[in-house]
Amino acid sequence: MKPTALLLATGVAALTLVAPADAQTSRVRTVTPMTALAEANAEARRRPDPANFSDATHVYDYAPGAIYEIYGAPGFISTVLLEPGETILTVAAGDTTRWMVEQAIGGDIANPRAMLLIKPTRTNVRTNIVLVTDRRSYSIEAIAVSGQTYSAQTAWRYPGDADAALAGGPASPETLNFDYRIRTVRGFAPRWRPVRVYDDGRKTYIEFPPAMATSEAPPLFITEHGEAALVNYRVSGDRYVVDRLFDTAELRLGAERPTIVRISRDNTQPRRSSPCRRHP
């Protein structure tokens, strides 16, 4: 083969190898910034799912960076419920002319719960709402529709916080004590009745059902020597974390005749020693 022919063959081979990469680069460059934004927002958007309702409350699984859809209708108020104890720092809406966005506090003195009230003034409009709290931030997309169907209540589950409740706790399930009895001693069984209670020898964990996210959180009283006293605890996800052990405690909610759920430890089991600490 002559040198000229060899050079031509080599050039053709090189072009053959480079061509796919050039073609791929050309395809990537055809994606406009607006297209990229639209695809990213669509991927991050969370919509109401029939499997995640508790009565009229839709419960989202919280994920940083997600966009949560809330549907409003003129004449109706949509309520956004935050985690008990969570405090709103800043709330801003893109359209404050055709949307009403207000803050409110629910629950009781021991367990205040921040809420956001959202209402559109007309149909077929939408806006975004940025909600910043002392624990996390939320990106909400509010959509106004006609008729009487709307998002009555919206709340979140926080699985990461539930796992963090056991941080620094027992190293294995074998060290947990589940010998607790849960009874409703006054009123009907409430939606917030605990599903289980356990301790690790130092702290007590009271675990609530998902419906807890849509109802007021009951304060906890520990009963000793025939007297009940309010005790401090931390709210982490769907759990109360109490920094001590107890034999009997009560969850109470209501004013004149409160609903009472009693938690009793089974003393037939070998009892671990409890730290010598008096509750406040």
Side-chain angles (χ1 to χ4, degrees):
M1 180 180 295
K2 294 182 179 180
T4 303
L6 180 61
L7 289 175
L8 288 175
T10 304
V12 171
L15 288 174
T16 303
L17 293 175
V18 173
D22 290 342
Q24 183 177 4
T25 303
S26 177
R27 286 196 298 270
V28 171
R29 289 174 180 172
T30 60
V31 178
T32 65
M34 298 306 295
T35 301
L37 287 172
E39 292 177 353
N41 288 348
E43 184 69 22
R45 189 168 282 110
R46 305 291 188 269
R47 293 183 170 90
D49 185 341
N52 292 322
F53 274 87
S54 177
D55 290 337
T57 301
H58 183 249
V59 183
Y60 282 114
D61 289 315
Y62 179 81
I67 301 174
Y68 304 98
E69 289 187 351
I70 292 179
Y71 291 82
F76 297 91
I77 294 179
S78 297
T79 304
V80 175
L81 301 175
L82 299 184
E83 187 178 26
E86 191 170 9
T87 302
I88 296 176
L89 300 180
T90 302
V91 57
D95 183 352
T96 58
T97 302
R98 297 175 295 184
W99 289 86
M100 180 203 78
V101 180
E102 295 182 0
Q103 301 180 38
I105 298 294
D108 51 38
I109 297 177
N111 297 280
R113 189 163 190 178
M115 299 185 295
L116 205 62
L117 307 179
I118 303 173
K119 184 180 75 171
T121 60
R122 65 182 65 179
T123 62
N124 300 322
V125 293
R126 65 171 61 200
T127 190
N128 72 313
I129 300 171
V130 177
L131 177 60
V132 181
T133 75
D134 59 343
R135 299 179 183 177
R136 54 187 67 88
S137 62
Y138 304 80
S139 180
I140 298 171
E141 187 166 314
I143 304 168
V145 296
S146 60
Q148 298 182 355
T149 301
Y150 65 101
S151 300
Q153 285 190 333
T154 302
W156 283 268
R157 282 185 292 262
Y158 309 95
D161 290 342
D163 296 337
L166 293 175
S172 64
E174 288 76 13
T175 64
L176 299 178
N177 172 34
F178 291 91
D179 295 317
Y180 285 85
R181 184 180 182 187
I182 304 170
R183 293 181 298 156
T184 303
V185 296
R186 178 184 290 176
F188 296 101
R191 297 172 57 192
W192 47 260
R193 173 178 166 138
V195 294
R196 64 176 179 176
V197 179
Y198 54 92
D199 69 74
D200 60 7
R202 297 178 299 110
K203 301 178 182 180
T204 306
Y205 303 88
I206 304 174
E207 186 173 319
F208 294 91
M212 178 71 165
T214 64
S215 61
E216 294 186 22
L220 178 67
F221 297 81
I222 288 183
T223 304
E224 290 181 332
H225 310 296
E227 297 183 357
L230 188 66
V231 67
N232 290 331
Y233 54 86
R234 300 190 305 278
V235 178
S236 185
D238 59 356
R239 295 181 177 92
Y240 284 1
V241 182
V242 187
D243 291 326
R244 56 162 292 178
L245 304 182
F246 57 78
D247 287 329
T248 305
E250 292 180 347
L251 295 162
R252 303 179 180 182
L253 187 62
E256 297 181 358
R257 289 187 58 82
T259 299
I260 301 177
V261 174
R262 183 169 297 158
I263 302 170
S264 305
R265 184 160 56 161
D266 187 354
N267 290 322
T268 62
Q269 300 294 327
R271 179 177 177 177
R272 302 186 183 97
S273 60
S274 174
C276 297
R277 179 187 302 175
R278 297 183 62 86
H279 62 271

